[in-house]
Amino acid sequence: MLQELIIYTIYSIMPSELVNKNTIIIAININSLISLEKKYFLLKLIKIYNPDIILLSETKLNQKHKLIIDGYNIIRNDRPNSIQGGGTAIIIKKNYKYKIIDNILTKKQTCIESSTILLKLKNNENLYIMSIYASQNNQHNFNKEFEEIFSTLKLDKLENYYIIGGDMNAKHTNWNNKENNSRGISLNDWINYNSITYKSKLHYTDAPTYPRTNASLSITEYILIQLHNKDF
């Protein structure tokens, strides 16, 4: 059940009290955190990598499920009234100061589920971190929702950095899928059109974050990489 991980090490872009420390972020489609087996897998992952932040997609949790991890805060966005499906979460070490960002999408969501936090950096700069999921069962084009997220958070501003990690079930040969699907084609066009405006750069794993669907996607802010002369 071990799935390919997206693991980033970010240098010197964290709050000032952590400026001398590297930050490790993991993004993974956990495909349910309900079973004891998956919870054990997550705890083992934390023990091995000691990540500062974990971006989870497809948690399949609802309000009946409790999740507590020693030393970490958990920001969850469960699918409403879900028996078992969807959901995102961000797991972050308790020594980080952050703000939870809610209600980014003003219109009814049709595709994207997300959890978002804001970390304040030095020099009045901001780092938005988002865990995102889009179900493969719903192949509607989510570009309008994606655009609303970027415009609402003003991610075109130089002072706003961002990391978006998750499983969007958007297949394209440009990120090592064997074939394209309609969502992947639309998203690839969106990235190509907006890469300068939003300073975005696509990173993907060597293998899918969720092997069964052969889909993986993460977007990181390109200027963030340029400024610190480090690739993730």
Side-chain angles (χ1 to χ4, degrees), residues 147-160:
E147 179 64 33
E148 184 176 358
I149 289 172
F150 275 65
S151 60
T152 300
L153 297 179
K154 296 181 173 57
L155 297 183
D156 58 325
K157 302 296 184 182
L158 291 177
E159 65 272 19
N160 291 336

Side-chain angles (χ1 to χ4, degrees), residues 151-228:
S151 60
T152 300
L153 297 179
K154 296 181 173 57
L155 297 183
D156 58 325
K157 302 296 184 182
L158 291 177
E159 65 272 19
N160 291 336
Y161 303 127
Y162 59 89
I163 295 173
I164 300 175
D167 186 350
M168 301 184 71
N169 285 292
K171 298 182 181 181
H172 200 282
T173 54
N174 280 358
W175 44 85
N176 282 352
N177 289 126
K178 294 181 180 179
E179 59 184 13
N180 302 335
N181 62 9
S182 58
R183 184 185 285 172
I185 293 171
S186 297
L187 183 58
N188 185 66
D189 291 342
W190 187 92
I191 292 172
N192 289 337
Y193 183 79
N194 291 285
S195 60
I196 296 177
T197 302
Y198 292 117
K199 308 168 294 295
S200 58
K201 183 178 181 180
L202 179 71
H203 292 259
Y204 50 85
T205 56
D206 293 332
T209 54
Y210 184 41
R212 187 182 302 172
T213 62
N214 197 32
S216 62
L217 176 65
S218 175
I219 295 179
T220 61
E221 213 259 289
Y222 185 58
I223 293 299
L224 181 151
I225 302 170
Q226 280 190 327
L227 284 175
H228 302 285

Side-chain angles (χ1 to χ4, degrees), residues 3 9 15 39 43 71 104 127 139 153 180-181 205 211 216 223:
Q3 301 164 337
T9 302
K39 291 175 181 176
L43 292 175
I104 297 175
L127 173 60
Q139 277 297 314
L153 297 179
N180 302 335
N181 62 9
T205 56
S216 62
I223 293 299

Side-chain angles (χ1 to χ4, degrees), residues 25 53 55 90 115-119 127-131 163:
I25 298 178
I53 301 170
L55 309 179
I90 297 175
S115 302
T116 308
I117 59 173
L118 167 63
L119 280 69
L127 173 60
Y128 291 94
I129 298 180
M130 177 182 292
S131 175
I163 295 173

